[in-house]
């Protein structure tokens, strides 16, 4: 079964911080290209019929890059909500245990994403027990390969924000943070 472009869970005109134009390119073109390329690379291979997670766990080279980018992008788009949401109590407690306060977590997350050199992702991951960790990856790297459970990610490739924010990554990140779908983030806790 071929991978298909997942529909966004919100209207492209509904995000206060990203334009419809950005979403048309980012979701409709960039993500679609990763999906199309993944489909071409898995055709008639040992990876045919496997999930993106299964491919990411063992693939290398172009197949890993495209499958991971497809997964990372779908996850990123699910981390966003057009409405501002409250952090569920169980997740808030865990964040406060790991980062002293929600504000401290927010500062660390935005600082990490702002200084993530080049193209990549900044993640909040569950690393086991009651432990959370913020870390950066480059290019298509995904924390599942390290055995971590992604809870939240932000795309810091320029195509994610350049049409709306030009080179102002920090402004994009501050706006992104205001529209995180905390229900989705909490749902990823194991």
């Amino acid at each position: 079964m071929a991978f298909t472009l997942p529909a966004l869970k919100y209207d492209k005109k509904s995000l206060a911080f990203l334009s419809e134009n950005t979403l048309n390119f980012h979701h409709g073109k960039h993500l679609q290209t990763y999906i199309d390329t993944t489909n071409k690379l898995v055709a008639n291979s040992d990876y045919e019929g496997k999930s993106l997670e299964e491919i990411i766990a063992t693939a290398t080279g172009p197949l890993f890059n495209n499958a991971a980018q497809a997964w990372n992008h779908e996850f990123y788009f699910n981390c966003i909500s057009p409405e501002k949401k409250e952090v569920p109590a169980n997740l808030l407690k865990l964040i406060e245990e790991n980062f002293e306060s929600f504000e401290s977590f927010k500062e660390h997350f935005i600082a990490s994403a702002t200084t993530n050199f080049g193209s990549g992702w900044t993640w909040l991951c569950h690393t086991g027990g009651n432990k959370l960790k913020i870390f950066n990856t480059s290019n298509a790297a995904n924390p599942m390969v390290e055995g971590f459970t992604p809870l939240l990610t932000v795309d810091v490739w320029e195509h994610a924000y350049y049409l709306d924010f030009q080179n102002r990554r920090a402004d994009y990140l501050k706006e992104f943070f205001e529209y995180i779908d905390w229900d989705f983030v909490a749902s990823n806790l194991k």
Side-chain angles (χ1 to χ4, degrees):
M1 184 168 122
F3 299 107
T4 58
L5 181 68
L8 292 171
K9 60 185 183 182
Y10 39 81
D11 185 270
K12 288 181 183 176
K13 296 178 183 178
S14 67
L15 295 178
F17 75 107
L18 291 177
S19 67
E20 179 180 12
N21 193 31
T22 289
L23 290 173
N24 283 335
F25 278 100
H26 195 187
H27 180 264
K29 301 220 182 288
H30 286 277
L31 177 52
Q32 183 68 65
T33 299
Y34 293 128
I35 291 168
D36 291 345
T37 305
T38 299
N39 283 328
K40 288 176 190 168
L41 293 170
V42 299
N44 302 312
S45 78
D46 292 341
Y47 289 100
E48 196 166 31
K50 294 189 184 268
S51 69
L52 287 175
E53 292 86 354
E54 291 170 313
I55 295 169
I56 291 167
T58 59
T60 58
L63 179 55
F64 171 83
N65 290 335
N66 283 277
Q69 283 292 70
W71 192 96
N72 294 355
H73 277 85
E74 183 175 350
F75 192 82
Y76 162 75
F77 288 121
N78 283 325
C79 287
I80 301 170
S81 170
E83 298 95 30
K84 294 184 180 189
K85 297 198 174 194
E86 296 294 319
V87 182
N90 65 325
L91 178 60
L92 182 59
K93 181 176 187 274
L94 203 53
I95 287 171
E96 290 171 343
E97 287 174 8
N98 282 267
F99 300 100
E100 296 180 15
S101 70
F102 183 79
E103 280 306 311
S104 176
F105 158 70
K106 179 179 176 180
E107 288 172 18
H108 281 87
F109 189 88
I110 290 173
S112 186
T114 301
T115 59
N116 189 349
F117 184 76
S119 298
W121 304 85
T122 297
W123 304 86
L124 173 66
C125 289
H126 184 217
T127 61
N130 288 330
K131 298 293 181 196
L132 300 179
K133 180 179 178 181
I134 296 169
F135 64 97
N136 295 328
T137 59
S138 297
N139 301 319
N142 183 293
M144 292 187 297
V145 173
E146 304 295 324
F148 300 142
T149 302
L151 303 179
L152 168 69
T153 196
V154 64
D155 187 343
V156 293
W157 286 66
E158 285 186 340
H159 66 244
Y161 61 88
Y162 205 83
L163 294 176
D164 296 321
F165 294 91
Q166 287 79 47
N167 64 336
R168 299 183 326 272
R169 183 189 285 187
D171 292 344
Y172 156 68
L173 294 166
K174 288 173 190 166
E175 289 292 317
F176 165 83
F177 210 91
E178 296 303 311
Y179 293 93
I180 293 172
D181 185 340
W182 291 109
D183 294 330
F184 173 76
V185 175
S187 76
N188 295 305
L189 279 170
K190 301 285 182 204

